[in-house]
Amino acid sequence: MGASTITEAEIWEALREVPDPEIPTINVVDLGIIRRVTVGDPIRVEMMPTFTGCPAIDMMRQDIEARLSAFGPVEVVVVYDEAWTSDRITAAGREMLRAADLAPPPHGAIRLTPVPVTPVACPYCGSTDTQIENLFGPTPCRSIFYCRACRQPFEQFKAV
Amino acid sequence: MRAEVTSALGRYLLTVADDELILGYRDSEWTGIAPLVEEDVAFSSLAQDEIGHARLYYMLAADLLESDADHLALGRGPDDYYHASVLETRTTPKYDSSGAHRGGGDWARAVARRFLYDLFDDLRTDALVSSSYAPLAGAVQKIRREEQYHLRHGAAWWRALASAEGEARERLEGALLALWPGLLGLFEDAPGEDLLVAEGLLSRRTSDLRDAWLERVQDHCAAVGIRFPAERTAAGWSIAVSPEAGGRQGRHGPAWAELYDEMTMVRRLEPEAVW
């Protein structure tokens, strides 16, 4: 396949097949971490990390390179000059988080004090009778909650 | 950017990166032995965030200093680290190989150091977010979002220990007094900060952040009724102790040799290893 026949849309479509290594129900496009795709030689992909301390950054870069290698030489650039925010997760992506039993982050303008202002719905039973247990969780991007209705702890993808 | 500005910015970013790396390293030592299981998770996550921030600052510094981030993080000599020395002391207990407690360990000190450092770091990143160096301004914008969680965590523990009465409160008060000279050492300027301010790379020098920090700490002390170790007079703040300075020039305390040795051990064993 020559570079001239590749379209940017094809690259975006292929990127939708690259899962987040920690939350495989969501892909890198719906997670909102792909900022820009430039078709050329090489194909250039700009990726924004969700959290600066995210240990999956290098793995995601390798997974993207591997998926796109069929199209030709690929350069994945991790960019920090613009902050990824949880509002970059697409509507479909929020459903994909739910499929992994993660509550999606609260919607709306990114607040500088990320207090869960609206009640967080339990991803298991849907109840909003929930409480925050820990601002921090098993990965930098998650907080821990408890659902009083179904008595189940669950995690929320942090608003940031 | 002129060569002298580039090198001053690189040198300044090393002080910031070193602060974050060293505090992240020390706080990670609580993993597994924090007083609550939720705190194992939280302190580990805080430490991981800080080390991530350090990595980002090292990457920025590496571009300016024509070096590489891994070398800057772990390949420098012990006199070439510029963190404030208050961050390098151990707060975790020590155990011997049989598991017997050998002494030390102070959760209140860990909490106080982290929270009061984060209040400082919030002012410092605020002075960087409008930097005319776009890669730095963007990175700091990202870091500040993450740090909001740290501040909330720190404020909650500050209140919890102070309102617990008894030993918890005494330890928090003791920690504040013990850390005080070292905390004031956070406000030592890195060489070249005047130039960075003149060039618009930094909006305020590190030493210029001190008074705003004192205000904030005083408010947090007043809110829980803890004695604040400084007084405001008509002429400005009156502080009885001298700051423990020298960290920003590479001069550190007795805890540093041990920490440096441990932190760089793996890299020194296999300097060429690829991760």
Side-chain angles (χ1 to χ4, degrees):
Chain A
M1 206 184 305
S4 57
T5 65
I6 301 165
T7 65
E8 194 187 317
E10 282 176 289
I11 303 294
W12 281 100
E13 204 174 321
L15 287 171
R16 281 187 194 274
E17 292 166 17
V18 180
D20 178 313
E22 284 175 337
I23 313 169
T25 55
I26 192 167
N27 64 74
V28 294
V29 174
D30 285 295
L31 189 58
I33 64 167
I34 307 298
R35 179 170 76 174
R36 191 169 294 137
V37 170
T38 315
V39 177
D41 186 21
I43 298 162
R44 190 171 190 276
V45 177
E46 290 180 4
M47 179 182 126
M48 307 161 81
T50 53
F51 277 72
T52 48
C54 179
I57 293 170
D58 289 334
M59 198 186 286
M60 289 198 260
R61 185 164 59 188
Q62 286 164 18
D63 290 350
I64 291 169
E65 280 170 1
R67 177 62 190 86
L68 298 184
S69 62
F71 295 98
V74 182
E75 182 190 26
V76 181
V77 183
V78 182
V79 292
Y80 292 96
D81 57 355
E82 180 188 354
W84 177 91
T85 80
S86 41
D87 275 356
R88 288 184 60 94
I89 300 173
T90 63
R94 296 169 66 83
E95 291 309 314
M96 293 166 186
L97 290 177
R98 279 200 192 92
D101 296 329
L102 281 169
H107 244 323
I110 291 305
R111 54 215 61 81
L112 275 178
T113 47
V115 190
V117 279
T118 47
V120 175
C122 170
Y124 298 108
C125 74
S127 168
T128 52
D129 186 13
T130 62
Q131 67 190 45
I132 188 153
E133 292 283 296
N134 196 334
L135 284 172
F136 298 92
T139 70
C141 57
R142 306 185 201 181
S143 298
I144 301 174
F145 284 72
Y146 179 70
C147 175
R148 284 185 288 251
C150 70
R151 299 184 183 172
Q152 181 72 25
F154 67 91
E155 292 164 16
Q156 180 200 43
F157 200 101
K158 274 182 194 169
V160 73
Chain B
M1 229 187 285
R2 302 201 313 278
E4 57 172 331
V5 181
T6 305
S7 81
L9 184 57
R11 172 63 172 76
Y12 169 80
L13 289 175
L14 287 180
T15 65
V16 184
D18 291 346
D19 277 0
E20 302 272 292
L21 176 69
I22 300 305
L23 183 61
Y25 196 94
R26 279 305 191 200
D27 280 354
S28 76
E29 293 172 334
W30 282 99
T31 304
I33 54 169
L36 302 169
V37 68
E38 293 297 352
E39 273 315 301
D40 269 358
V41 173
F43 243 57
S44 306
S45 197
L46 289 159
Q48 187 180 356
D49 279 351
E50 300 302 13
I51 291 171
H53 299 167
R55 181 184 187 211
L56 190 42
Y57 289 123
Y58 284 131
M59 284 162 54
L60 291 166
D63 280 347
L64 298 162
L65 300 172
E66 291 174 16
S67 180
D68 99 14
D70 288 334
H71 169 77
L72 292 176
L74 297 170
R76 284 175 289 155
D79 299 336
D80 299 323
Y81 280 78
Y82 308 120
H83 57 276
S85 299
V86 69
L87 305 175
E88 74 204 16
T89 52
R90 176 190 290 276
T91 55
T92 42
K94 273 194 164 179
Y95 299 92
D96 66 26
S97 51
S98 72
H101 180 214
R102 262 173 51 196
D106 192 335
W107 175 248
R109 189 179 289 210
V111 163
R113 178 169 69 184
R114 161 152 289 288
F115 181 47
L116 300 173
Y117 170 80
D118 278 338
L119 290 173
F120 155 73
D121 191 45
D122 185 47
L123 293 165
R124 178 170 60 187
T125 52
D126 187 50
L128 291 172
V129 78
S130 54
S131 174
S132 60
Y133 186 52
L136 175 59
V140 167
Q141 194 189 17
K142 176 85 189 141
I143 286 170
R144 282 180 65 75
R145 289 171 189 272
E146 299 178 10
E147 287 289 338
Q148 297 309 312
Y149 285 92
H150 297 203
L151 290 169
R152 273 170 52 83
H153 173 270
W157 268 102
W158 180 265
R159 278 193 308 272
L161 293 180
S163 58
E165 308 281 327
E167 189 184 350
R169 185 184 169 94
E170 281 164 24
R171 278 185 180 252
L172 185 64
E173 288 177 315
L176 178 61
L177 288 177
L179 292 169
W180 196 240
L183 289 167
L184 296 167
L186 289 166
F187 299 92
E188 183 183 3
D189 285 336
E193 286 194 32
D194 283 329
L195 178 64
L196 297 177
V197 170
E199 297 284 325
L201 293 157
L202 177 64
S203 67
R204 297 160 82 191
R205 292 179 311 173
T206 309
S207 53
D208 293 333
L209 307 173
R210 193 200 68 168
D211 288 4
W213 180 82
L214 288 169
E215 297 271 354
R216 284 179 160 196
V217 179
Q218 185 182 41
D219 288 348
H220 283 288
C221 285
V224 296
I226 282 185
R227 204 181 76 78
F228 178 63
E231 258 182 86
R232 197 179 357 212
T233 67
W237 286 97
S238 157
I239 299 172
V241 299
S242 332
E244 198 178 277
R248 307 283 185 227
Q249 322 299 327
R251 294 193 304 276
H252 299 291
W256 175 234
E258 185 197 344
L259 173 57
Y260 175 82
D261 191 50
E262 186 183 294
M263 190 177 84
T264 59
M265 185 184 294
V266 174
R267 186 171 171 99
R268 282 183 287 112
L269 280 172
E270 285 294 342
E272 304 301 322
V274 176
W275 296 86

